[in-house]
Amino acid sequence: MSGRYEGKTVAVTGAGEGMGRAMALAFAREGAAVMACDVNAAGLEATAAQLGTASGSIASMIVDVRDEAAIEAFAARAAQPTGALDVMICNAGVKGDWGPLAQQPREQLDLVIDINLKGVVLSMKHALAHMIPARSGVIINLASVQSFRVGFPGAAFYTASKAAVVALTRAAALENGQFGIRAVGIAPGPIDTPMLRSGSPDWPPPIINDVPLGRIGHVDDIANAALWLASSEANYISGATLTIDGGWLAP
Ligand SMILES: NC(=O)c1ccc[n+]([C@@H]2O[C@H](COP(=O)([O-])OP(=O)(O)OC[C@H]3O[C@@H](n4cnc5c(N)ncnc54)[C@H](O)[C@@H]3O)[C@@H](O)[C@H]2O)c1
């Protein structure tokens, strides 16, 4: 490991499993002081336990991204080690129960929008409170290939929430470039996480047939991209959302 994030602070929401866990581990292995949050306490413990020996660290906090006071405290704690928040990764998300739009209960709409859209807004807002005075910072939002292509019937709320994340990323980039802050998105295709497995009785799921590279993505495919997007090598990238999908969106 290069230690390229030594001296940097990184906050990751939804780090109790899946891609959030992989990103928290990747940044800590590169030397960052990572602050991880999730609603799943056991998941957070497992994330920290997987770090082993590394030059960085993972501290964690139980936070529901729908709770603004908790997110505010989370961002403040993430900035504590150095007084600055270098990277905020807005990753927490839910799939919701998919079903025909005409029959979807209001509760599903509220759940998906409150977490996937409002949760990202709150996480960005309280990260910016630390980044703007420092005139520096990177926000990474987890969108989806479904931001760009609905793909499957029954996914209206999830798709809408993830399309909004792309727009929010661009809005944040527009407003905050003047402060030296970049906002970027990652749009994963099918990645092997508990979320994908929860919706896939068969494994590998049939979507694999529509992936030109012929495999389901690994969480490290996303974590490696996040490491690069947050780095100075990606210094001129802002407002863009990077598709990482084995080619699923290509046709
Ligand atoms: N897995 C995929 O194929 C895929 C594809 C495209 C986009 N995504 C998106 O990538 C992100 C990560 O997905 P994943 O597959 O790792 O999901 P996952 O379900 O495996 O992990 C998501 C984590 O977020 C946490 N979380 C959920 N609601 C929360 C809340 N209100 N507050 C705090 N934490 C909360 C969960 O407890 C969980 O630990 C999500 O935003 C998801 O929508 C996933």
Side-chain angles (χ1 to χ4, degrees):
M1 295 297 162
S2 67
R4 63 183 142 152
Y5 281 95
E6 264 165 34
K8 302 284 187 191
T9 57
V10 178
V12 187
T13 70
E17 59 188 9
M19 290 179 234
R21 170 181 289 168
M23 290 187 282
L25 288 167
F27 278 90
R29 285 175 181 142
E30 292 284 355
V34 174
M35 176 60 60
C37 83
D38 206 291
V39 286
N40 175 356
L44 281 175
E45 271 175 37
T47 299
Q50 283 181 27
L51 182 58
T53 311
S55 57
S57 59
I58 299 181
S60 60
M61 217 173 142
I62 298 167
V63 170
D64 187 321
V65 294
R66 292 171 287 189
D67 178 346
E68 182 161 10
I71 280 289
E72 185 176 12
F74 170 66
R77 265 196 70 190
Q80 242 169 25
T82 65
L85 179 53
D86 296 297
V87 182
M88 167 63 89
I89 304 181
C90 306
N91 164 80
V94 291
K95 192 172 137 297
D97 293 336
W98 289 10
L101 181 56
Q103 293 159 23
Q104 277 288 61
R106 169 67 190 259
E107 291 71 27
Q108 279 300 312
L109 174 64
D110 291 341
L111 178 81
V112 172
I113 297 301
D114 284 353
I115 296 175
N116 293 9
L117 198 169
K118 295 184 194 171
V120 171
V121 172
L122 295 176
S123 304
M124 289 203 298
K125 174 182 167 185
H126 291 288
L128 286 166
H130 297 273
M131 292 176 176
I132 290 172
R135 294 293 191 270
S136 167
V138 181
I139 291 170
I140 300 180
N141 291 331
L142 270 289
S144 168
V145 280
Q146 288 181 266
S147 305
F148 305 109
R149 178 182 159 199
V150 177
F152 318 93
F157 302 155
Y158 183 81
T159 307
S161 73
K162 292 299 182 179
V165 169
V166 172
L168 282 171
T169 304
R170 294 167 66 172
L174 173 65
E175 289 181 14
N176 297 289
Q178 63 183 313
F179 305 121
I181 295 165
R182 298 188 294 114
V184 294
I186 291 176
I191 308 295
D192 186 358
T193 67
M195 180 184 287
L196 185 65
R197 286 190 180 251
S198 72
S200 313
D202 302 321
W203 196 265
I207 191 174
I208 195 171
N209 299 318
D210 300 320
V211 178
L213 283 179
R215 69 172 175 90
I216 297 299
H218 189 273
V219 287
D220 286 339
D221 294 322
I222 303 302
N224 286 331
L227 286 174
W228 175 69
L229 280 169
S231 78
S232 57
E233 289 175 10
N235 251 344
Y236 201 53
I237 302 178
S238 197
T241 293
L242 177 65
T243 296
I244 304 173
D245 66 347
W248 186 77
L249 274 179

